[in-house]
Amino acid sequence: MTVESTAARTPRRASSGGKRASASAKKTASPGKGAAKGKGAAQGGEPELVQLLTPEGERVENSEYDRYVADLTPEDLRVLYRDMVLTRRFDAEAVTLQRQGELGLWPSLLGQEAAQVGSGRATRADDYVFPTYREHGVAWCKGVDPTLLLGMFRGVNNGGWDPNTNGFQLYTIVIGSQTLHATGYAMGVAKDGADSAVVAYFGDGATSQGDVAEAFTFSAVYNAPVVFFCQNNQWAISEPTEKQSRVPLYQRAQGYGFPGVRVDGNDVIACLAVTKWALERARGGEGPALIEAFTYRMGAHTTSDDPTRYRRDEEREAWEAKDPILRLRTYLEAQGHADEGFFAELEAESETLGKRVRDVVRTMPDPEPMSIFENIYADGHALVDEERAQFAAYQASFADAPVNAATGGEVK
Amino acid sequence: MAVKKLPIAKAINESLRRALDTDPKVLVMGEDVGKLGGVFRVTDGLQKDFGEDRVIDTPLAESGIVGTAIGLALRGYRPVVEIQFDGFVFPAYDQIVTQLAKMHARALGKVKVPVVIRIPYGGGIGAVEHHSESPESLFAHVAGLKVVTPSNSSDAYWMLQQAIQSDDPVIYFEPKRRYWDKGEVNTDAIPDPLHKAHTVREGTDATLVAYGPMVKTCLEAAAAAAEEGKSLEVVDLRTISPLDFDTVQASVEKTGRLIVVHEAPTFFGSGAEIAARITERCFYHLEAPVLRVGGFHAPYPPARVEEDYLPGLDRVLDAVDRSLAY
Ligand SMILES: Cc1ncc(C[n+]2csc(CCOP(=O)(O)OP(=O)(O)O)c2C)c(N)n1
């Protein structure tokens, strides 16, 4: 199956990096080079983008990228469709839960399903992902239980999962930081001689941060096997991409010495193909690549944002016509790849997922007050011990909250 | 006399408006400060009235924002920069600490960098991580910076006027959880100097020293203590660097007891500095050691336990009891 499953993979190459050519030694033709033709398109226009499935649901040929999706079976396509539908459902459920006061905040991915599922499904189980805070669809593809993503937005933890279980790092709130971590991790992968790769996710706004520029520099200089996956959803809170850059974002890569490609971010097949291309290059020792997934955030930046202050409804409506899920459905139906039974079953599965998400969130326990002192140092710290004991004694001074002053635990 | 009742956020907005109006060199810069009016709407309407050249939506890059503000200041402008949340000032920390704070000294006093950096800070709003921190001592420790924080609308208005007029860089911390608290602002007043602490409640048994968001908590604690027959004096520091030790000293000489309250971790925090200096100055007046109430040596916790982390009424009163027990 072309769509990578999250099951364990065969062992990595054991050699120590010998397969990785230096950046200068290998000249890779960038399939994205044609995209530079979109001259003068920096201001709002759309330079050529890689598209394999039109908004009308028609498959178009692409001599450079078709080979990455040539062996996609109807079952694979249904997997992609299912991923997008369930991710959207999960996201909608989270938005509703926020409205009901069950979550403090939620960054919706509505509209970005194809970018996330296409790129996420292109990764192998041993590829490592460094997300920002909106990558719920990538998490899904990496096999992370979606309910784990809700803890930090409910306010019960500041992360909430073991990043190593699925190769999916914790959400990162400070914009751009994770791109450097991804680069360093990829440098380690190369040093180990492993043949996996790393994907760093970030938004269009993040490209303005120094950290992202530094990640580009380091990854190029060390030829690190990292794919930079920028979801250009057109807005950084209230600021359009033009407030971040005067050139199309994918063109940034050129200045650092690696290829950049703009892909239709609402086309799941193209996102899959282009990410596979970039991952294969990275694994083959050809270094980093930048993918700009040209997409749109259909909702607000987060549930506390008010997009009516800065963007017009017509813009959203224009993008609705490019919906990533609808176009794949049209294609599946036209090809006879999915029948009514499939869609009905998926609908039922959606309902089940929604209910599970609601149930889990509503019964998520608040952390114990003493948990404030947990996991601050790996080695322990005398001051933390002292403050923990003081706080426990303080808590114990309230008649209704018996706490064991020695351990800080609740008295059972 | 123009006296208005304004929430703190609106007082800051009016203060910025006045500064933009009176001095063409004043600029407002930051992420989302224009059309959106900032994530807290503090800059609401300013771009509409003063244009995109004066109220500037910047790229998403804090180091870039502060670094270019330094350059603009060197060119004679007075940039007022907004950092969206406390936890996001750190990408700019290098520019603030290594450049902004030291320019004046390095140039033998020949250049001035009148940059104001507004930072909404502190917790209690149920946010995710990096949105609730109190990093004031990290700035107060750096020579060359002034660090101030209003606790009410009048100070929010006037201290910002003074910060903008100051030829020094000023870190202006805004108590975000008090943004919607209303208070009177007299826009014709002649305000106290920027670096003067205010005694906001008189008392005789012990002194509570606080600033920013904790002033309200301390006033509430003092009111609760009064019901138990304890008389607490409350001093609003208003400015952390420089710090008005004279006002604190005068109060401690009167009450003999001092409790410093802030949200930031107590370890190496501003309370430690106050305790040390006041112990030096008032050793023979003190009836008890100076106590501190603040955050723990722990990362700011998730929202659902933040009330346990933040100093509240009970923790302040607990410290008062411990002080009085000496
Ligand atoms: C360093 C930093 N500055 C500011 C913020 C506040 N903030 C959160 S999201 C955001 C916009 C991000 O836009 P973009 O990178 O395009 O990603 P998107 O949310 O659109 O996916 C901002 C300014 C932050 N989280 N970190």
Side-chain angles (χ1 to χ4, degrees):
Chain A
M1 151 156 157
T2 315
V3 175
E4 298 287 346
S5 74
T6 46
R9 299 280 304 186
T10 44
R12 302 155 181 213
R13 255 197 328 254
S15 76
S16 59
K19 299 255 163 130
R20 295 191 186 280
S22 83
S24 55
K26 251 198 182 154
K27 253 238 165 96
T28 330
S30 158
K33 64 186 184 304
K37 278 183 266 170
K39 231 177 121 204
Q43 298 309 306
E46 293 183 24
E48 197 172 299
L49 36 67
V50 179
Q51 186 181 72
L52 303 183
L53 190 63
T54 67
E56 293 73 37
E58 277 161 26
R59 184 75 168 79
V60 285
E61 271 183 37
N62 183 301
S63 57
E64 279 164 307
Y65 290 103
D66 272 345
R67 63 194 171 100
Y68 294 96
V69 286
D71 57 350
L72 268 187
T73 64
E75 166 62 15
D76 293 337
L77 290 168
R78 287 193 296 271
V79 167
L80 294 171
Y81 184 79
R82 175 178 173 271
D83 287 341
M84 291 197 290
V85 167
L86 294 182
T87 301
R88 178 170 289 187
R89 177 51 184 266
F90 164 71
D91 185 73
E93 208 64 54
V95 171
T96 306
L97 284 164
Q98 196 282 332
R99 297 273 140 75
Q100 295 169 350
E102 298 286 349
L103 300 176
L105 182 83
W106 185 249
S108 167
L109 67 21
L110 185 64
Q112 299 179 219
E113 295 88 352
Q116 297 196 12
V117 167
S119 61
R121 280 294 172 198
T123 65
R124 293 193 322 218
D126 59 345
D127 292 334
Y128 213 101
V129 163
F130 287 77
T132 163
Y133 44 74
R134 205 190 290 280
E135 272 69 70
H136 324 312
V138 185
W140 171 270
C141 294
K142 293 298 281 178
V144 178
D145 177 348
T147 61
L148 289 173
L149 307 175
L150 299 163
M152 83 178 287
F153 297 104
R154 185 170 170 86
V156 301
N157 59 47
N158 283 332
W161 61 89
D162 175 355
N164 291 324
T165 307
N166 300 80
F168 188 79
Q169 254 297 330
L170 298 171
Y171 275 176
T172 308
I173 303 279
V174 181
I175 302 290
S177 308
Q178 78 282 2
T179 58
L180 279 167
H181 312 157
T183 300
Y185 192 94
M187 287 161 65
V189 168
K191 276 187 194 301
D192 293 344
D195 82 334
S196 58
V198 177
V199 188
Y201 286 87
F202 51 98
D204 46 309
T207 60
S208 297
Q209 286 285 359
D211 276 9
V212 175
E214 292 172 28
F216 287 177
T217 298
F218 276 67
S219 64
V221 165
Y222 295 106
N223 203 41
V226 56
V227 174
F228 295 107
F229 196 91
C230 174
Q231 288 172 83
N232 178 358
N233 64 13
Q234 313 300 328
W235 294 92
I237 307 189
S238 74
E239 300 190 4
T241 313
E242 301 88 81
K243 278 276 181 286
Q244 315 292 338
S245 181
R246 306 296 286 188
V247 297
L249 296 175
Y250 73 93
Q251 288 179 7
R252 291 268 179 98
Q254 201 187 358
Y256 292 88
F258 52 85
V261 187
R262 177 177 277 184
V263 62
D264 181 340
N266 287 15
D267 171 355
V268 71
I269 301 177
C271 289
L272 177 71
V274 170
T275 313
K276 272 181 171 289
W277 159 76
L279 284 167
E280 280 179 25
R281 288 183 78 253
R283 291 194 190 103
E286 294 173 54
L290 169 64
I291 298 170
E292 177 192 359
F294 204 73
T295 181
Y296 192 71
R297 132 162 90 73
M298 301 292 283
H301 168 68
T302 67
T303 42
S304 49
D305 175 37
D306 174 12
T308 62
R309 283 181 164 247
Y310 55 82
R311 73 180 192 194
R312 293 169 310 133
D313 288 346
E314 300 91 83
E315 186 184 292
R316 190 194 139 113
E317 282 155 21
W319 278 90
E320 259 165 21
K322 304 181 195 177
D323 188 88
I325 296 184
L326 255 161
R327 74 170 80 173
L328 185 57
R329 182 175 179 132
T330 308
Y331 179 64
L332 284 174
E333 286 175 334
Q335 297 294 310
H337 287 338
D339 55 18
E340 274 313 306
F342 167 75
F343 294 113
E345 228 172 84
L346 187 52
E347 181 53 37
E349 200 182 352
S350 268
E351 286 304 317
T352 311
L353 174 69
K355 181 173 178 343
R356 185 163 84 84
V357 169
R358 287 194 297 278
D359 290 348
V360 171
V361 167
R362 290 185 178 138
T363 55
M364 239 177 224
D366 282 355
E368 290 297 328
M370 295 312 292
S371 67
I372 290 172
F373 301 98
E374 279 168 20
N375 299 315
I376 301 173
Y377 293 93
D379 286 343
H381 190 292
L383 176 63
V384 175
D385 294 343
E386 185 186 321
E387 289 189 348
R388 181 196 291 114
Q390 281 169 356
F391 186 61
Y394 169 73
Q395 294 271 78
S397 72
F398 294 94
D400 56 343
V403 166
N404 183 328
T407 63
E410 241 187 300
V411 178
K412 295 268 152 64
Chain B
M1 204 168 72
V3 179
K4 306 180 189 177
K5 200 146 194 205
L6 298 173
I8 287 180
K10 188 81 178 123
I12 296 170
N13 179 286
E14 299 246 327
S15 186
L16 287 170
R17 184 173 290 280
R18 177 170 176 162
L20 284 161
D21 229 1
T22 49
D23 183 351
K25 292 294 186 188
V26 170
L27 305 171
V28 170
M29 299 168 61
E31 295 157 12
D32 305 294
V33 297
K35 276 210 175 66
L36 187 67
V39 287
F40 288 104
R41 312 288 181 261
V42 170
T43 54
D44 198 14
L46 297 180
Q47 190 181 65
K48 202 171 112 269
D49 295 343
F50 295 95
E52 294 187 22
D53 286 343
R54 308 268 327 269
V55 180
I56 305 166
D57 268 331
T58 65
L60 205 180
E62 287 76 10
S63 179
I65 296 168
V66 172
T68 54
I70 292 172
L72 283 159
L74 292 173
R75 182 67 193 176
Y77 285 88
R78 291 182 116 63
V80 185
V81 157
E82 175 175 299
I83 300 290
Q84 226 156 57
F85 281 91
D86 35 74
F88 309 143
V89 71
F90 295 105
Y93 195 63
D94 169 37
Q95 284 289 344
I96 296 171
V97 171
T98 68
Q99 307 303 317
L100 184 63
K102 295 177 172 63
M103 272 296 156
H104 184 65
R106 280 156 71 205
L108 310 176
K110 299 295 181 209
V111 304
K112 295 178 177 122
V113 272
V115 176
V116 177
I117 301 178
R118 297 178 34 237
I119 309 175
Y121 81 126
I125 61 160
V128 293
E129 64 174 349
H130 313 303
H131 290 72
S132 304
E133 291 158 25
S134 300
E136 62 272 15
S137 30
L138 296 175
F139 294 90
H141 194 68
V142 178
L145 302 175
K146 291 182 183 173
V147 182
V148 309
T149 171
S151 71
N152 57 57
S153 300
S154 175
D155 277 352
Y157 182 90
W158 282 112
M159 288 168 69
L160 185 55
Q161 288 297 305
Q162 293 165 322
I164 295 169
Q165 281 154 20
S166 167
D167 281 336
D168 286 313
V170 181
I171 314 291
Y172 181 93
F173 279 108
E174 301 173 3
K176 68 169 91 82
R177 73 158 125 159
R178 308 290 186 217
Y179 267 151
W180 302 277
D181 288 2
K182 281 189 174 176
E184 276 187 3
V185 179
N186 177 357
T187 56
D188 294 336
I190 297 168
D192 262 354
L194 184 55
H195 304 296
K196 173 123 184 52
H198 285 168
T199 301
V200 289
R201 180 184 173 113
E202 302 267 352
T204 50
D205 294 338
T207 301
L208 299 177
V209 160
Y211 50 82
M214 279 294 117
V215 172
K216 184 175 180 184
T217 305
C218 286
L219 285 170
E220 286 167 357
E227 285 174 22
E228 299 170 8
K230 293 169 203 154
S231 165
L232 303 182
E233 182 144 308
V234 180
V235 175
D236 177 356
L237 231 37
R238 300 171 75 243
T239 130
I240 300 165
S241 178
L243 203 148
D244 178 6
F245 286 104
D246 293 346
T247 299
V248 181
Q249 178 176 352
S251 177
V252 171
E253 286 177 357
K254 180 165 113 189
T255 66
R257 290 182 166 82
L258 175 61
I259 295 126
V260 190
V261 184
H262 53 61
E263 290 187 21
T266 54
F267 190 59
F268 277 86
S270 49
E273 179 60 39
I274 296 168
R277 300 244 181 196
I278 290 301
T279 304
E280 266 182 48
R281 288 184 178 214
C282 308
F283 189 70
Y284 293 107
H285 289 94
L286 284 168
E287 307 279 345
V290 180
L291 299 180
R292 288 168 292 158
V293 182
F296 305 115
H297 189 62
Y300 193 88
R304 297 254 171 171
V305 272
E306 71 178 333
E307 291 307 328
D308 287 296
Y309 175 95
L310 290 167
L313 214 66
D314 284 333
R315 274 175 63 201
V316 175
L317 293 174
D318 177 68
V320 169
D321 287 347
R322 279 188 286 130
S323 177
L324 290 169
Y326 277 90

